[in-house]
Amino acid sequence: MSKVGKYLIFIGSLFRNTEKFRVYLNLIEESVLIGIDSVFIVSIVSTFIGAVTCLQTAANLVSPFVPKYIISLIVRDMTVLELAPTITCVVLSGKVGSSIAGSLGTMRVTEQIDALEVMGINSTSYLVLPKIIGAMITFPLLVILSAFLAIYGGYLAGTLTGAVTPEEYTYGLRYGFIPFNVTLAIIKAVVFAFLISSISSFQGYYTQGGALEVGKASTKAVTNSCIAVLVADYLLAQLLISG
């Protein structure tokens, strides 16, 4: 519980004694580092997840009474509700989370954060807040890209293998579509972005020791971020779908 309390105090310190707006112009740079540099890995993972989902669904539809468009319907709902937001953010927790924790941990052990404090700068707000805002801006965009590529990957896999025709796949995508599912995916992405960036920043900011401890902080950041994402995924599903 002491860690949780320390984390909450850390979050509160982000909004105390904030600097002038021009100080936070590195937000664009943080958004590029977090979002643009992650496009490739997100694209690869999403495309193949969609393709595998389509092929496995088709392989399990053995009854001739089940229409083929059910394949794309399952791919659509699995992608939008779960695979795109959750799997993408789990992947990003490994890439982005370790990067944030490593950079802040290095600044801590090399006393750069202490130098900022001596100059009277709120180091948590100056260093961490742009990372959190940048993640909350770019993660939903990456999730939207992930959903599109996963559905398109399923389309390519299904049509090229003959498991489903293009017309059936397109019909299944439109059949019984619930627009709120897209909103739910974006809400998940924003919440996951906050959790991953803040937990990783917390682990890196309070690193003590040397290079070995920086590596340990990065490992803890990835582990704790993944756990937080999965717990938040369940809670959001319970509140926004079941509730």
Side-chain angles (χ1 to χ4, degrees):
M1 292 301 294
S2 62
K3 281 284 187 181
V4 175
K6 192 175 182 180
Y7 170 74
L8 295 176
I9 293 173
F10 172 76
I11 296 299
S13 66
L14 297 176
F15 306 99
R16 290 198 305 266
N17 301 323
T18 56
E19 305 298 325
K20 294 181 180 179
F21 177 75
R22 65 175 180 271
V23 176
Y24 299 101
L25 292 180
N26 59 341
L27 170 64
I28 299 176
E29 180 182 350
E30 294 291 349
S31 298
V32 171
L33 291 174
I34 292 172
I36 305 302
D37 292 351
S38 303
V39 168
F40 178 75
I41 183 66
V42 169
S43 301
I44 294 295
V45 171
S46 302
T47 303
F48 280 95
I49 282 180
V52 170
T53 303
C54 178
L55 293 180
Q56 289 185 344
T57 303
N60 285 278
L61 288 181
V62 294
S63 173
F65 299 102
V66 179
K68 289 293 185 68
Y69 68 80
I70 294 297
I71 296 173
S72 57
L73 185 149
I74 293 174
V75 171
R76 180 200 69 196
D77 287 345
M78 286 186 63
T79 296
V80 174
L81 283 174
E82 195 63 28
L83 296 179
T86 305
I87 301 301
T88 298
C89 288
V90 167
V91 171
L92 290 174
S93 69
K95 182 184 183 302
V96 176
S98 61
S99 175
I100 291 175
S103 63
L104 289 176
T106 302
M107 294 184 70
R108 171 62 75 183
V109 299
T110 56
E111 300 181 350
Q112 296 180 51
I113 294 179
D114 297 331
L116 290 174
E117 296 286 350
V118 169
M119 290 188 292
I121 297 175
N122 182 355
S123 59
T124 55
S125 178
Y126 176 72
L127 295 174
V128 177
L129 195 57
K131 289 178 170 51
I132 293 178
I133 296 175
M136 293 176 70
I137 292 173
T138 55
F139 272 40
L141 301 178
L142 290 172
V143 166
I144 293 171
L145 174 66
S146 172
F148 169 77
L149 291 176
I151 292 173
Y152 187 65
Y155 172 82
L156 291 177
T159 54
L160 292 178
T161 59
V164 60
T165 64
E167 293 77 14
E168 290 172 332
Y169 195 91
T170 304
Y171 180 79
L173 292 179
R174 297 176 177 178
Y175 183 82
F177 177 67
I178 303 174
F180 179 72
N181 289 347
V182 178
T183 305
L184 177 60
I186 295 175
I187 292 173
K188 283 185 177 183
V190 173
V191 173
F192 296 164
F194 176 80
L195 291 173
I196 291 170
S197 56
S198 61
I199 290 174
S200 301
S201 299
F202 172 76
Q203 293 291 343
Y205 187 84
Y206 289 106
T207 301
Q208 294 180 346
L212 180 61
E213 282 70 20
V214 173
K216 290 181 179 179
S218 298
T219 303
K220 288 182 180 179
V222 175
T223 304
N224 294 342
S225 296
C226 287
I227 294 172
V229 164
L230 296 175
V231 172
D233 183 35
Y234 170 77
L235 294 177
L236 287 173
Q238 184 70 30
L239 290 172
L240 299 177
I241 298 179
S242 302

